[in-house]
Amino acid sequence: MPRGSSLRRQRRRAGRAAFTMLAPGSSPLQTTRLALHWRQISWITCWLALWAVEALPACPFSCKCDSRSLEVDCSGLGLTVVPPDLPVATQTLLLLNNKLSALPSWAFANLSSLQRLDLSNNFLDQLPGSIFGDLVNLTELQLRNNSIRTLDRDLLQHSPWLRHLDLSINGLAQLPPGLFDALPALRSLSLRSNRLQNLDRLTFEPLVSLQLLQVGDNPWECDCHLRDFKHWMEWFSYRGGRLDQLACTLPKELRGKDMRVVPMEMFNYCSQLEDENSSAGLDIPGPPCTKASPELAKPKPGAEPEPEPSTACPQKQRHRPVSVRRAIGTVVIAGVVCGIVCIMMVVAAAYGCIYASLMAKYHRELKKRQPLMGDPEGEHEEKKQISSVA
């Protein structure tokens, strides 16, 4: 007889005995019915127990698991690798304060229910581009205080519901373009205490839901490379976004000043530099100039050689101004100013001549009228005439 059938018989007998002990005065028919009910309850209990074991796997070794909040806490354990037996239904995973230095691309595979991931205070220096590929429901990612120097462009392309991202206290020197293109729901972003010197405006334009941006404690160079980001900061502040202080490190004239209060007139020279760079980019370097090729026919003796245009050695063009419109405007303004000055000089000269002629005429008339105004010689001659008449 097979062993399974004998075990079933023993269970039936034990169940009947138990029910007989519980109800000693019951009839055999009632005992049989109670035994059948007991068997059904036992099967249902076993099935629920097996389902619970499959749905809620065991907690990783030395980690703390909360079945209600579906949180797995593996922080402060000195881990060098991510536990491989993480429950599939985990929604919060805490791995902060460990010794993680490198993560494989499959470290968080099959954790599609994960919403919060904390990897702060580790030794991570680089993250694979597909490490968060399965975290489609991720809403919070903490990477604070690591050694991350570069980020892959596709690192966050599969987490469209991400709302909070902390990349502070790392070694980031730049952000790849397109890093935030798939994050329309991002609300807070921290880039404090990195090595960022400038940022590209196009990198931040997809963040339409951003409310808080932290960029302090970075060696910002307030030059032409940061001008467009200054425009974006003004727009971000205008629509109600919160931004901490972006203090300039270079140049020395702006050291310690907030980039937002620096007037835009400080960047007027940037357009001139752009024009120079664009004009320089159009100059295609050609082959070096060489002398006449020996294959050319020599001129006949006695005949003057005719000059032939040389394509190998073009004539050096004269320097052209960076902006033709500005040059023309400058010439027009200078001509107008010079014309006004010349007119003023002519008017002043004419006024001087008229004044001199009037003064000369006045002095001549004054001399003519001087005897009539009490000249002693005139009075003496008048007295002589009166005495002779008498």
Side-chain angles (χ1 to χ4, degrees), residues 162-165 180 183-191 204-215 232-244 260:
L162 190 64
R163 296 182 180 180
H164 307 283
L165 177 60
F180 304 136
L183 303 179
L186 192 66
R187 296 183 179 179
S188 66
L189 173 62
S190 180
L191 298 170
F204 291 83
E205 285 186 348
L207 303 178
V208 294
S209 301
L210 192 64
Q211 299 177 1
L212 174 63
L213 177 60
Q214 297 177 345
V215 293
W232 182 87
M233 286 192 302
E234 294 176 352
W235 171 82
F236 178 68
S237 301
Y238 176 75
R239 69 179 180 88
R242 291 178 295 166
L243 181 70
D244 60 349
R260 291 173 295 180

Side-chain angles (χ1 to χ4, degrees), residues 265-290:
E265 288 77 12
M266 296 289 295
F267 302 95
N268 289 338
Y269 69 97
C270 297
S271 57
Q272 183 177 358
L273 293 178
E274 291 175 357
D275 293 339
E276 291 180 356
N277 294 333
S278 60
S279 61
L282 297 176
D283 296 336
I284 302 175
C289 293
T290 56

